[in-house]
C-alpha cells in the first residue's frame, strides 16, 4: 500500500479519512506469469496499480506471430483497458502479465464510490486519466514522427527494463516493425 500512497501523494495530499476509504476498496491480486487477465470482448471491471511486474496490452490475432502489442505497464503505474473500463463495453484488446504481477485493483463500482464519498477522489481520477492520455499521445507522436530505429533507441534510453524483461517479438510489434527488422536495427547499434 505504501507504493500507491507515495504515487498518489505526488498528485495531491490525501486526508486520513479519504485514504482509509480508498484503501478499503482495493484488493490485491497476484497474476501468474504469461496469464491473460483480461480477454478480448470482456468488459474491464478493474483499474489497477502495479506493485510489481510487467503487463502487455495487445490485440490478439489468429496467428500469434501477428498479434499487435501496443503498450506496456510496469511497477508504480496504473493498468486497465481504460476505454472498456470507462464505457463498460467489451474490450477490443487483451491484458497479459509478462512476469508474475502484483496488482492493487479497484472495481468500477468501487471507484464510483470513491469519487462520491471522498474529497480527493475526483482529482486523483482526473489527474490519473490525464497521465494515461499523455502517455498515449506521446506514443502516437513517436509512431508518426520517428523512424523505427529512433523509436527503438528512445525506448532503450527511456525504458531499459523493457528490453531486459520483454521478448523481442513484443518489442518489435510495439515499435511497429517485424522481428527481422528489429534484429537488423539491433545489429547496426
Amino acid at each position: 500500500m505504501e507504493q500507491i500512497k507515495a504515487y498518489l501523494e505526488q498528485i495531491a495530499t490525501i486526508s486520513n479519512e479519504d485514504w482509509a476509504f480508498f484503501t478499503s476498496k482495493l484488493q490485491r491480486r497476484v497474476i501468474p506469469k504469461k496469464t491473460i487477465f483480461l480477454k478480448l470482448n470482456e468488459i474491464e471491471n478493474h483499474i489497477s496499480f502495479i506493485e510489481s511486474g510487467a503487463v502487455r496490452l495487445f490485440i490478439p490475432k489468429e496467428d500469434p506471430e501477428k498479434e499487435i502489442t501496443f503498450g506496456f505497464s510496469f511497477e508504480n503505474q496504473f493498468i486497465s483497458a481504460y476505454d472498456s473500463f470507462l464505457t463498460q463495453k467489451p474490450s477490443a484488446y487483451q491484458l497479459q502479465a509478462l512476469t508474475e504481477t502484483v496488482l492493487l485493483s479497484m472495481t468500477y463500482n468501487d471507484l464510483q464510490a470513491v469519487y462520491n464519498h471522498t474529497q480527493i477522489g475526483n482529482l486523483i481520477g482526473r489527474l490519473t486519466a490525464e497521465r494515461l492520455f499523455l502517455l498515449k499521445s506521446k506514443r502516437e507522436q513517436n509512431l508518426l514522427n520517428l523512424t523505427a530505429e529512433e523509436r527503438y533507441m528512445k525506448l532503450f534510453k527511456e525504458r531499459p527494463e523493457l528490453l531486459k524483461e520483454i521478448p523481442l517479438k513484443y518489442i518489435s510489434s510495439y515499435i511497429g516493425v517485424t522481428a527481422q527488422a528489429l534484429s537488423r536495427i539491433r545489429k547496426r547499434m
Side-chain angles (χ1 to χ4, degrees):
M1 294 288 178
E2 291 305 310
Q3 284 174 263
I4 194 169
K5 188 172 189 180
Y7 176 89
L8 294 175
E9 285 183 336
Q10 293 173 24
I11 297 171
T13 303
I14 305 170
S15 72
N16 289 337
E17 296 82 24
D18 282 0
W19 179 248
F21 188 81
F22 177 80
T23 56
S24 75
K25 302 298 183 187
L26 291 174
Q27 113 186 71
R28 177 174 268 111
R29 300 190 296 162
V30 178
I31 312 296
K33 181 178 181 174
K34 296 187 180 182
T35 300
I36 295 171
F37 61 98
L38 179 74
K39 294 186 170 99
L40 184 68
N41 294 321
E42 289 181 348
I43 294 173
E44 174 66 274
N45 193 41
H46 294 93
I47 188 161
S48 302
F49 181 81
I50 302 173
E51 276 195 330
S52 63
V55 175
R56 171 174 83 118
L57 296 84
F58 72 103
I59 299 168
K61 300 291 182 183
E62 292 241 349
D63 178 356
E65 294 300 313
K66 297 191 179 189
E67 291 175 346
I68 301 167
T69 297
F70 65 91
F72 299 101
S73 287
F74 300 94
E75 184 175 309
N76 295 323
Q77 294 181 330
F78 280 92
I79 184 66
S80 181
Y82 198 56
D83 49 348
S84 173
F85 181 79
L86 289 175
T87 63
Q88 289 296 280
K89 302 267 191 253
S91 177
Y93 52 94
Q94 299 188 151
L95 303 180
Q96 179 184 36
L98 294 175
T99 61
E100 180 177 274
T101 301
V102 179
L103 303 174
L104 293 175
S105 298
M106 186 174 294
T107 67
Y108 180 85
N109 288 336
D110 283 343
L111 183 61
Q112 301 314 307
V114 168
Y115 288 162
N116 291 325
H117 294 95
T118 65
Q119 292 182 357
I120 202 71
N122 283 312
L123 177 62
I124 290 170
R126 189 192 88 223
L127 294 175
T128 300
E130 287 173 359
R131 286 184 181 194
L132 290 170
F133 170 78
L134 292 172
L135 288 171
K136 181 177 173 40
S137 177
K138 182 178 173 185
R139 169 154 165 69
E140 288 172 358
Q141 290 173 42
N142 286 343
L143 282 171
L144 294 170
N145 292 318
L146 302 177
T147 67
E149 195 163 322
E150 290 169 330
R151 289 192 300 272
Y152 180 76
M153 284 304 299
K154 189 172 180 63
L155 192 61
F156 186 75
K157 286 179 186 167
E158 291 176 0
R159 306 304 299 259
E161 75 277 11
L162 187 82
L163 302 176
K164 291 177 193 160
E165 293 185 34
I166 296 178
L168 290 178
K169 67 181 180 178
Y170 299 155
I171 293 171
S172 64
S173 175
Y174 180 73
I175 65 171
V177 299
T178 64
Q180 295 82 4
L182 179 57
S183 179
R184 287 192 295 274
I185 289 169
R186 290 167 50 94
K187 282 182 185 173
R188 286 195 297 265
M189 301 183 140

